Amino acid sequence: MAFAGTGKIWMNGKFVDWKDANIHIATHVIHYGSGVFEGARCYATTKGSACFRLEPHMRRLIESAKIYRMEYPLDLQSWMNVVLDTIRINEMKACYIRPLVYRGYKELGVNPLSIPVDAAVMVWDWGAYLGSGALEDGVDVKVSSWTRMAPNTLPAMAKSTANYANSALIKMEAVADGYSEAIALDVHGNISEGSGQNIFVVRDGAIFTPPLGSSILGGITRDSIITLARENGYGVTETVLPRESLYTADEVFFVGTAAEVTPVRSVDKIKVGAGKPGPVTLALQRAFFQVINGEVPDRHGWLTYVYPEEASLRTTPKVVAGRSR
Ligand SMILES: Cc1ncc(COP(=O)(O)O)c(C=O)c1O
């Protein structure tokens, strides 16, 4: 969906109009991919607008920046406040949130250490990432001919702009071949992840997902789904998964901030299970949506409410003589 092109963007401590949030063509990040970023969501829950797991997202941003020696002078709480303020000033009820830390403008060269570190936060509307019907019916995917970054090349745990050159190759090939997404293998030929999502495989009621060592981003949705699955009585194992386990799985599903919980109904034109979303996927999708819609108590403190004036939505009505007031 194209940007509306309105609203405000936070840049280095100031809110600027969307149309004025520009950087110079000589900015380092454009030439050398020297940026790290986050993707989080704010949901319009039944109890008011709330960011989902804002703290771990901003912690990952700080850690990604640390890996690349580009620390920005905001601590975790300040980052969270900047995000909340950006949502508030834009009066968004629900939105996608994109904080970015990047090497700015001074000189060009491979050594980034002398280049200033700049930051921005933008928010906008973003709907179903893998197309309409994806969440309900599932998606058809292929195994990519591109592998994820090998360990000790580009760090997969850092959410760096540079890593998304690899993601773009995976995604473009998938789309060119008529699929909505692809699954990339790691350098050893084991399952890694999608271009922008983690992956889960279900067999005989047990759930498996590749470990951090399989060149994945340590997804916050992945962590949430592992927690929800265990709470719902499923065993979840983080383990190296061979490619062929995709073809013998009962269920396969993607998870991520953008993709949320999206069933995979075929891989390389081989049906996954019955070729439609399976019961474990649907149960976890439902559990996830109940949390992000505020329909169940927020047991883990995953929601950060945005607008103080909506606090009354969250007070439990007192029941007096069978009536609520
Ligand atoms: C490569 C990649 N893997 C996994 C994920 C899922 O991570 P999260 O659940 O934190 O959004 C993303 C999304 O940011 C991603 O880009």
Side-chain angles (χ1 to χ4, degrees), residues 112-143:
L113 291 172
S114 66
I115 314 288
V117 178
D118 292 328
V121 177
M122 46 195 293
V123 297
W124 72 92
D125 271 326
W126 204 359
Y129 177 67
L130 291 174
S132 65
L135 290 168
E136 299 80 13
D137 306 328
V139 289
D140 300 306
V141 308
K142 63 172 288 187
V143 171

Side-chain angles (χ1 to χ4, degrees), residues 80-138:
M80 291 171 63
N81 291 343
V82 167
V83 168
L84 294 168
D85 287 346
T86 309
I87 299 170
R88 288 177 192 134
I89 201 167
N90 285 288
E91 299 178 358
M92 301 294 275
K93 288 283 168 218
C95 58
Y96 186 82
I97 304 160
R98 168 57 51 80
L100 174 71
V101 176
Y102 60 99
R103 293 281 179 184
Y105 174 88
K106 182 179 174 198
E107 58 186 343
L108 286 175
V110 171
N111 179 0
L113 291 172
S114 66
I115 314 288
V117 178
D118 292 328
V121 177
M122 46 195 293
V123 297
W124 72 92
D125 271 326
W126 204 359
Y129 177 67
L130 291 174
S132 65
L135 290 168
E136 299 80 13
D137 306 328

Side-chain angles (χ1 to χ4, degrees), residues 225-235 283-284 287-288 290 299:
I225 291 297
I226 292 173
T227 303
L228 292 174
R230 288 184 177 146
E231 279 177 0
N232 280 275
Y234 296 106
L284 293 175
F288 180 75
Q290 282 176 331
R299 281 195 308 281

Side-chain angles (χ1 to χ4, degrees), residues 231-244:
E231 279 177 0
N232 280 275
Y234 296 106
V236 184
T237 311
E238 295 178 57
T239 185
V240 170
L241 292 167
R243 170 179 183 165
E244 56 272 28

Side-chain angles (χ1 to χ4, degrees), residues 37-40 52 56-57 60 96 98 129 148-149 156 158-159 163-164 166-167 170 192-199 215-224 255-260 288:
F37 68 103
E38 265 311 310
F52 180 66
H57 275 288
R60 189 170 66 187
Y96 186 82
R98 168 57 51 80
Y129 177 67
R148 292 302 277 168
M149 300 77 66
K159 193 170 168 68
N163 287 359
Y164 286 81
N166 173 260
S167 289
I170 294 164
S192 179
E193 61 181 344
S195 66
Q197 323 75 23
N198 294 119
I199 191 162
S215 296
I216 65 165
L217 180 72
I220 289 153
T221 320
R222 172 183 180 275
D223 178 73
S224 313
V255 305
T257 296
E260 297 175 317
F288 180 75

Side-chain angles (χ1 to χ4, degrees), residues 60-75:
R60 189 170 66 187
L61 180 73
I62 291 169
E63 289 176 347
S64 297
K66 185 174 184 194
I67 292 169
Y68 277 97
R69 301 173 196 264
M70 49 190 288
E71 280 155 84
Y72 190 80
L74 279 187
D75 63 14

